[in-house]
Amino acid sequence: METLSRFLVFMSLFSGFVSGFTLQNLPVTSFEESYTQLFGDKNLFVNKDGKSVRLTLDERTGSGFVSNDLYLHGLFSASIKLPSDYSAGVVVAFYMSNGDMYEKNHDEIDFEFLGNIRGKEWRIQTNIYGNGSTHLGREERSNLWFDPTEDYHQYSILWSDSHIIFFVDNVPIREVKRTASMGGHFPSKPMSLYTTIWDGSKWATNGGKYGVNYKYAPYVAQLTDLVLHGCAVDPIEQFPKCDDGADEDIRAAQEISPSQRVKMGVFRRKHMTYSYCYDRNRYKVALPECVVIPAEAQRLRVHDPVTFGGIPRRHRNGKHRSRRSRVVGTESI
């Protein structure tokens, strides 16, 4: 019996190592104690449970909210159900920023959900800025292996002093490791967490080809299981105070397990449609933090030889066209 008990304990520990840190058990916070409405009047609605929120975009306005506290590192998460049907031009954003405090040298960590025309999938775009480095976009764009309008799915950001990891349903989809070559371009100043829905007609769907059609409004994003698990910063003293267990959870979450790394590889192989690291029209030489994977580069070149093969874009009259766009490219775990 003792031998069996020891074996079960060992298997439990081994299973945790193989599967990695799970984000499902993070402490959930109520809206009233942790967030403030940013804009949108009645287009933001908090359910009676105090932990679920509805954000609406209509002809009048979008809507959004922001965390009451600033954070320097942490785990930030929400389960989100996106608007269904025709959603071209609609943007739902779950992101961290300090742009209201540092107008010219702000930091940002973005999850952006980009709507689409009927019959086409929502896409997710991730991006980071550090110290106002908006001239160097670090976007990646992917499809999902499920329909994000049918049910709630968990989207999470891990931010530490050395890592940024984006997760979908506990699957890491992108990892950014801080390198010396990035300098100040790695987000390093305290940030608030924002969640918004807004009209991105000028760029969100096929570079602005399809805009929001308010005939299909209202567009409603539903959120629950809101998590702010990190190190809040006093705005006056500028000293971070971490939640109970947050330090340990941050360290555990940034260690991607072998099975999680396999899942991340599968996701990127099947679903990633754009990465700045391979965009040869935009960056003739990959930015220094990029880890270029030959198989990944080849797959993207086949998918879009103009963007990823360095072939110059041309106008219909044959002249070269040079245009920097925030959105590039299009494509189950």
Side-chain angles (χ1 to χ4, degrees):
M1 182 64 71
E2 184 178 353
T3 302
L4 177 61
S5 297
R6 287 179 178 176
F7 174 75
L8 292 174
V9 170
F10 169 78
M11 288 305 294
S12 175
L13 293 172
F14 179 75
S15 174
F17 167 74
V18 171
S19 60
F21 180 84
T22 179
L23 297 161
Q24 276 81 7
N25 299 326
L26 294 174
V28 173
T29 184
S30 73
F31 185 89
E32 185 177 352
E33 68 177 311
S34 299
Y35 300 94
T36 299
Q37 182 166 359
L38 191 63
F39 68 102
D41 301 320
K42 294 181 180 180
N43 279 9
L44 184 151
F45 177 79
V46 181
N47 290 347
K48 290 181 180 179
D49 65 3
K51 297 181 179 180
S52 301
V53 185
R54 195 166 67 231
L55 295 178
T56 297
L57 167 68
D58 59 23
E59 297 91 335
R60 297 180 307 108
T61 182
S63 51
F65 59 90
V66 60
S67 63
N68 293 333
D69 291 325
L70 291 161
Y71 291 86
L72 184 64
H73 310 141
L75 288 155
F76 309 94
S77 182
S79 291
I80 304 173
K81 184 179 179 183
L82 295 172
S84 58
D85 200 19
Y86 183 99
S87 57
V90 177
V91 178
V92 176
F94 177 74
Y95 67 105
M96 306 198 71
S97 177
N98 49 31
D100 57 337
M101 296 177 63
Y102 302 96
E103 187 176 339
K104 295 183 178 180
N105 63 332
H106 83 286
D107 304 317
E108 200 166 305
I109 303 173
D110 297 340
F111 247 130
E112 291 175 312
F113 305 88
L114 311 178
N116 218 327
I117 59 175
R118 182 178 287 143
K120 297 289 186 180
E121 304 166 323
W122 279 80
R123 291 128 317 135
I124 54 172
Q125 180 165 285
T126 59
N127 200 0
I128 68 166
Y129 297 119
N131 207 31
S133 58
T134 54
H135 63 293
L136 294 176
R138 290 178 162 87
E139 302 97 332
E140 286 194 355
R141 182 189 277 187
S142 305
N143 297 321
L144 291 164
W145 65 95
F146 53 81
D147 183 346
T149 71
E150 289 185 346
D151 204 350
Y152 290 90
H153 291 270
Q154 186 186 35
Y155 304 94
S156 310
I157 295 169
L158 164 93
W159 174 38
S160 73
D161 62 352
S162 60
H163 287 72
I164 295 169
I165 304 175
F166 297 88
F167 295 86
V168 177
D169 287 342
N170 208 44
V171 175
I173 65 165
R174 179 181 181 185
E175 177 185 32
V176 180
K177 293 183 179 180
R178 186 175 197 164
T179 63
S181 59
M182 289 184 75
H185 293 176
F186 189 92
S188 59
K189 297 187 291 295
M191 292 189 279
S192 302
L193 182 77
Y194 294 80
T195 307
T196 58
I197 185 170
W198 49 282
D199 186 330
S201 292
K202 292 182 178 179
W203 66 274
T205 306
N206 285 33
K209 182 178 180 180
Y210 302 103
V212 174
N213 186 338
Y214 286 103
K215 178 176 73 173
Y216 299 99
Y219 298 98
V220 180
Q222 301 175 70
L223 299 95
T224 190
D225 297 337
L226 306 173
V227 172
L228 294 167
H229 187 49
C231 304
V233 175
D234 184 291
I236 298 175
E237 296 181 2
Q238 292 288 301
F239 185 78
K241 182 180 179 181
C242 298
D243 298 338
D244 289 344
D247 274 341
E248 293 81 359
D249 289 341
I250 292 167
R251 283 194 295 269
Q254 74 182 24
E255 296 298 326
I256 297 177
S257 72
S259 66
Q260 283 181 313
R261 201 162 287 283
V262 168
K263 289 180 180 179
M264 182 166 68
V266 171
F267 173 86
R268 294 175 71 80
R269 201 159 53 243
K270 287 187 174 184
H271 301 288
M272 187 175 73
T273 58
Y274 177 81
S275 171
Y276 75 101
C277 285
Y278 302 105
D279 188 338
R280 290 297 163 262
N281 273 304
R282 194 172 179 186
Y283 302 115
K284 298 305 179 186
V285 178
L287 295 184
E289 75 274 7
C290 289
V291 177
V292 174
I293 301 171
E296 211 168 68
Q298 176 60 23
R299 186 184 66 78
L300 289 173
R301 272 197 300 272
V302 171
H303 171 72
D304 184 347
V306 173
T307 299
F308 303 111
I311 299 171
R313 299 181 186 274
R314 294 176 180 272
H315 282 301
R316 289 180 182 176
N317 62 9
K319 293 182 179 180
H320 289 286
R321 177 176 61 181
S322 176
R323 179 173 64 86
R324 183 182 180 275
S325 175
R326 186 179 182 184
V327 181
V328 194
T330 51
E331 185 186 13
S332 322
I333 254 182

